[in-house]
Amino acid sequence: MALSKTAHIVTAYGEELDQLADELARMGGMVETQLETALAAIVRRDASLVAGVREREKQVNAMQDDVEKRVLRLFALRQPLATDLRMTISALKIANDLERVGDLAKNIAYRAEDLAEYAPLSLLDQVERLGAIVVKQLHEVLDALSSADVEPAIRVWRTDDEVDERYNALVRQMLMSMTEDPGQVEPGVHILFVAKNLERIGDHATNVAEAVHFMVTAGPLEADDAKS
Amino acid sequence: MALSKTAHIVTAYGEELDQLADELARMGGMVETQLETALAAIVRRDASLVAGVREREKQVNAMQDDVEKRVLRLFALRQPLATDLRMTISALKIANDLERVGDLAKNIAYRAEDLAEYAPLSLLDQVERLGAIVVKQLHEVLDALSSADVEPAIRVWRTDDEVDERYNALVRQMLMSMTEDPGQVEPGVHILFVAKNLERIGDHATNVAEAVHFMVTAGPLEADDAKS
């Protein structure tokens, strides 16, 4: 009887941790769809996609609240230790980063509404390429999270420099285009903010990579391991 | 003997919570100085101030790591409950927001280096005014944190709309100025990013206000309480 009661409690605790991991994975999937839709809205200049991104942002925020409530309940009732404690603390950080990605995706989508009124846009192909790299980063880091595998997390870390380089090149070219042609000033500023938001989503993917690394290894992901 | 040992443990736990609060207050003070220095660098276009902001950012990052380590230790060894649990979880969130503010202040300071080479700049007075409001928000929310008082936290929440309005007005005017004068394109983009960073620091101050409200009242800071 005592044994079966203990086993029951252990199972319930394990279930709570599994549910937390599931919620985080669902949140990641939702954010990934948001980002892909936001990028499609920019590249196709299709403002009709914006409402869907905004709708998903509410769901992402609700999911973050849910993750926080689950973590608080785990701390209060279960007092997790060692690996479970790291997993629980990391869940809180990862949910925070994913919520920020959702928010940035929403900001990107809003720019599609501003951009829809302009005719040909400079450098949209470069935005598309930058976006594709960042989407891949997000996808890989979510894989790393669900498989608790550090290898894709380290790959995401390594890609961060490439994102920064592409972003900087885009800024330089856009400033030149805007200086030469006043008609490019307003759309150019929107594109620059889209690019900045993509660069920052890349930073959040890197943060998630660090959190996954800490969760799995209990150690920090240092420049020495990762940038070589 | 048993009593004195218990009293000793209780005191040590209370001390650990106090130290966590102190570290957070120190981190807040450091970030506030960073922001003020970054704004001075922009307004006076004095790139010599940038090194100090960068130096402080390293200290702020170290402080965030320290807060996280303290929180992990508290969870592992003390299993905080109720008010202490809320305080500990909130410390983690607030340290995260303060680190972001430090990072944004550093980004603002870097723009001072880019701006130093330009002669008269449009709309710098408006950047200065927006900056002053955001500095005040940060100051008030840190007061709310150290006094565990929800009133200044609610005031910070209420100021968020004003920050957004001033930011939007600045963007409109800057786009006009850049379209009319190609010489304003490059410095104008830097100013727009500075303004965006200020607006986001305002958002982080609002997040801290929400965390302080939750810490003190155990309830969320809703639009109904706060925006009226």
Side-chain angles (χ1 to χ4, degrees), chain A residues 171-213:
Chain A
V171 170
R172 277 195 302 276
Q173 289 173 68
M174 187 55 94
L175 286 175
M176 224 182 303
S177 157
M178 289 159 71
T179 306
E180 282 165 11
D181 176 6
Q184 290 292 325
V185 164
E186 284 205 33
V189 164
H190 291 306
I191 295 280
L192 285 176
F193 275 106
V194 168
K196 185 71 194 173
N197 287 343
L198 288 173
E199 187 259 343
R200 292 200 36 245
I201 291 175
D203 287 343
H204 287 291
T206 308
N207 290 350
V208 176
E210 288 171 5
V212 170
H213 193 274

Side-chain angles (χ1 to χ4, degrees), chain B residues 56-73:
Chain B
R56 281 211 185 75
E57 214 232 345
K58 283 182 204 152
Q59 292 172 264
V60 167
N61 289 347
M63 284 171 164
Q64 188 193 13
D65 286 347
D66 184 50
V67 167
E68 286 182 4
K69 282 196 189 105
R70 285 175 191 275
V71 167
L72 273 175
R73 199 165 47 222

